[in-house]
Amino acid sequence: MTSFTSGLPAIDHNLYVRDGFIFEANYRSGLRIFNANVDPLNPPQVGWFDTYPENDNRGFNGAWSNYPFFPSGTVIVSDIERGLFILDVSQALEVLPSAFTVTRGAQTGGGLQDLFFSDDSYLLVEARRPTEIAAASVELVVEGASRIQTPAELRFNFEGATSGEPAIQRIELFNFLNSTWEVVDERKAPTEDTIVVVTITTNPERFVQAGTRLVRARIGYHDRGVTFISWDGRFDRCTWTVRG
């Protein structure tokens, strides 16, 4: 037996689960969203909307219930004092990576949870000189599970940088229909944390595995003349956003 909390004294009430996300009406602290895909025993809070801004104390005011099952992904919340709220919660429902593999280089710091948020907490991978022509010196593969089997739009959200210069940063998504990697973004590798959002609206379901709803991305840093031996890639955020 276990428990989880938003950290506030407000009373939890009606909750529903959709695609591994818990949507919980918490009276005076409003709607709270937890991601059980990350950890079903201790799901992290990934979003909230306070319908009762006066306080978060114990009391039977505020959010009574919610409904997260519309095909659009819109969530409605009924509040005792203020009526009906219609919320776009897509940003809170980002698909977080459930696993990663360092396929080039050597991991020197950080772990899976460092990839969840833009918080300057990094997964660090030290570069290694590749033996194959044009291969990456630093490369990371991340996997997660999409909420939707056939999305209308899929975004891959990445934030990171490298200490190697000059280098190329390449982002690829795995096409499950033909079992190949597709390059979806390539640019001069930044040496300061930079956010890249790759948006796929044409046939995005090719990047979602049938049945499992697995999504997979690969981020690589390719040496283009780095003159010093020791350099690395730092990965701050690797998530997906899917819309139906």
Side-chain angles (χ1 to χ4, degrees):
M1 184 174 180
T2 186
S3 63
F4 62 93
T5 177
S6 66
L8 299 171
I11 302 167
D12 61 295
H13 196 219
N14 292 314
L15 64 83
Y16 305 92
V17 179
R18 180 179 182 181
D19 300 326
F21 288 87
I22 301 169
F23 300 82
E24 185 172 286
N26 269 227
Y27 279 110
R28 291 189 180 187
S29 68
L31 176 71
R32 300 282 156 168
I33 304 174
F34 301 86
N35 190 346
N37 296 298
V38 176
D39 185 346
L41 299 181
N42 187 27
Q45 179 176 286
V46 294
W48 61 277
F49 185 86
D50 193 353
T51 64
Y52 190 87
E54 286 88 342
N55 61 69
D56 297 315
N57 298 332
R58 293 179 62 84
F60 298 103
N61 307 91
W64 168 261
S65 191
N66 72 95
Y67 185 84
F69 300 111
F70 291 109
S72 65
T74 297
V75 175
I76 59 174
V77 180
S78 58
D79 183 273
I80 296 169
E81 284 75 29
R82 291 179 171 85
L84 182 70
F85 288 80
I86 303 173
L87 306 177
D88 177 0
V89 300
S90 57
Q91 187 172 358
L93 304 187
E94 284 188 344
V95 175
L96 303 181
S98 57
F100 74 88
T101 305
V102 176
T103 50
R104 302 281 180 181
Q107 183 180 347
T108 57
L112 180 64
Q113 293 194 355
D114 295 303
L115 303 176
F116 293 170
F117 307 108
S118 175
D119 56 4
D120 296 332
S121 181
Y122 303 104
L123 173 66
L124 298 173
V125 179
E126 187 175 68
R128 293 288 187 269
R129 188 175 299 278
T131 56
E132 299 93 341
I133 296 175
S137 298
V138 173
E139 190 174 78
L140 181 74
V141 174
V142 290
E143 295 183 344
S146 170
R147 298 182 299 108
I148 302 170
Q149 182 69 72
T150 55
E153 178 183 282
L154 183 146
R155 296 180 185 175
F156 182 65
N157 314 294
F158 174 69
E159 182 175 358
T162 178
S163 60
E165 190 178 17
I168 295 294
Q169 175 181 284
R170 180 179 296 162
I171 297 175
E172 301 167 271
L173 299 180
F174 192 74
N175 183 330
F176 289 95
L177 294 182
N178 58 24
S179 298
T180 59
W181 288 101
E182 288 190 24
V183 177
V184 293
D185 186 84
E186 185 172 294
R187 64 184 65 201
K188 179 182 177 181
T191 55
E192 301 291 336
D193 283 9
T194 301
I195 297 172
V196 177
V197 179
V198 177
T199 302
I200 307 295
T201 56
T202 302
N203 191 25
E205 63 268 23
R206 70 188 188 275
F207 298 122
V208 182
Q209 188 176 50
T212 66
R213 303 197 309 275
L214 183 72
V215 287
R216 183 180 294 148
R218 183 165 70 183
I219 310 98
Y221 290 107
H222 297 252
D223 187 339
R224 289 297 183 266
V226 180
T227 57
F228 40 93
I229 297 175
S230 181
W231 60 281
D232 62 13
R234 61 178 185 264
F235 303 85
D236 192 12
R237 176 176 174 239
C238 300
T239 67
W240 296 260
T241 305
V242 292
R243 299 177 186 271

